[in-house]
């Protein structure tokens, strides 16, 4: 399959069915808010940038969590029962996305969350479309995650933890809040053991 070069004069994308097996669909030279919103509304997201180009993906299968299928294991119930953390939403979005960009991850050298990504998603946050969940230990930020909410779908982007179970507790809390708000799906994008243990599963891209 060819990889498409996006037109900077419009914000359209090729049909996701044209993506490579890896999920790579297109490359473009900006992270304009309108391009991001168009992408997310079609199950497409930017994963990383290189030398001024941004790579847009739409994997098949897609890893998602339906909030009603959330699994909370005994070890995490203990974390909540002990009230180890407190939780807030949208109180320090830029701190959260910056912490995600600085988090070390197994098998990765550096982060795909460059300053350009931080600026673009902070812009979406200021428009009320990107949101952060913060996890605190006292007055210290110890974990969190951020993503984009469109309609009743939340697209999770990244998370970080500075204490054991902090990001998992934040994700569980956010999932419960989204469920109460009537959200029907969290798009986790890529499979991880962390999210698999919480009830996430693969679905066909056409089911998004």
């Amino acid at each position: 399959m060819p990889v498409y070069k996006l037109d900077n004069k419009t914000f359209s994308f090729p049909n996701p069915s044209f993506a490579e097996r890896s999920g790579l669909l297109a490359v473009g030279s900006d992270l304009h808010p309108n391009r991001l919103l168009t992408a997310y509304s079609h199950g497409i997201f930017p994963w990383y940038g290189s030398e001024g180009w941004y790579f847009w993906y739409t994997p098949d299968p897609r890893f998602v969590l339906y909030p009603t299928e959330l699994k909370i294991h005994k070890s995490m119930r203990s974390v909540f029962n002990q009230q180890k953390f407190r939780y807030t939403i949208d109180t320090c979005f830029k701190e959260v996305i910056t912490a995600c960009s600085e988090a070390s991850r197994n098998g990765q050298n550096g982060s795909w969350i460059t300053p350009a990504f931080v600026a673009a998603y902070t812009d979406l946050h200021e428009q009320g479309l990107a949101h952060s969940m913060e996890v605190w230990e006292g007055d210290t930020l110890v974990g969190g995650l951020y993503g984009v909410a469109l309609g009743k779908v939340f697209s999770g982007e990244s998370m970080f933890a500075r204490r054991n179970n902090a990001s998992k507790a934040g994700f569980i809390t956010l999932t419960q809040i989204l469920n109460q708000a009537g959200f029907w799906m969290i798009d986790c994008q890529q499979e991880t053991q962390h999210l698999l243990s919480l009830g996430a599963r693969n679905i066909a891209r056409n089911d998004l």
Side-chain angles (χ1 to χ4, degrees):
M1 290 286 188
V3 175
Y4 293 84
K5 181 180 177 181
L6 300 178
D7 181 357
N8 287 343
K9 297 179 181 179
T10 68
F11 301 116
S12 61
F13 284 85
N15 191 298
S17 65
F18 295 148
E20 291 188 336
R21 289 178 62 86
S22 67
L24 178 61
L25 176 65
V27 296
S29 59
D30 68 58
L31 294 171
H32 191 284
N34 288 346
R35 190 181 305 284
L36 285 167
L37 295 179
T38 300
Y40 281 103
S41 67
H42 291 86
I44 303 165
F45 61 90
W47 199 351
Y48 66 93
S50 177
E51 299 180 354
W53 293 97
Y54 300 97
F55 296 77
W56 300 81
Y57 282 78
T58 177
D60 189 14
R62 194 64 160 260
F63 200 57
V64 306
L65 174 67
Y66 296 101
T68 56
E69 297 179 2
L70 175 67
K71 297 178 182 177
I72 306 176
H73 296 283
K74 184 177 180 180
S75 60
M76 287 307 301
R77 293 187 185 278
S78 176
V79 169
F80 287 109
N81 290 338
Q82 294 174 34
Q83 298 183 341
K84 289 187 174 182
F85 307 117
R86 65 180 179 89
Y87 311 91
T88 58
I89 292 178
D90 288 342
T91 65
C92 55
F93 180 90
K94 194 166 185 178
E95 288 181 53
V96 170
I97 189 172
T98 300
C100 289
S101 74
E102 296 170 346
S104 60
R105 306 182 194 280
N106 292 334
Q108 295 185 21
N109 182 19
S111 173
W112 58 268
I113 308 173
T114 63
F117 276 85
V118 172
Y121 284 85
T122 299
D123 191 355
L124 285 187
H125 170 67
E126 291 171 352
Q127 295 182 42
L129 298 168
H131 302 277
S132 60
M133 163 64 71
E134 301 94 23
V135 183
W136 306 85
E137 190 175 68
D139 293 328
T140 302
L141 183 67
V142 295
L145 61 116
Y146 76 96
V148 176
L150 285 181
K152 293 299 182 180
V153 175
F154 183 85
S155 297
E157 283 300 311
S158 188
M159 60 179 68
F160 78 98
R162 295 170 178 161
R163 298 288 188 276
N164 288 340
N165 295 315
S167 61
K168 186 177 285 190
F171 183 83
I172 289 171
T173 300
L174 178 62
T175 300
Q176 293 172 325
I177 292 170
L178 293 175
N179 187 40
Q180 293 173 358
F183 278 68
W184 74 280
M185 189 178 73
I186 298 173
D187 183 2
C188 304
Q189 301 174 350
Q190 295 290 319
E191 180 175 344
T192 67
Q193 287 299 121
H194 177 92
L195 296 172
L196 188 66
S197 70
L198 295 174
R201 56 187 171 93
N202 282 306
I203 64 169
R205 181 173 55 216
N206 287 341
D207 291 339
L208 278 176

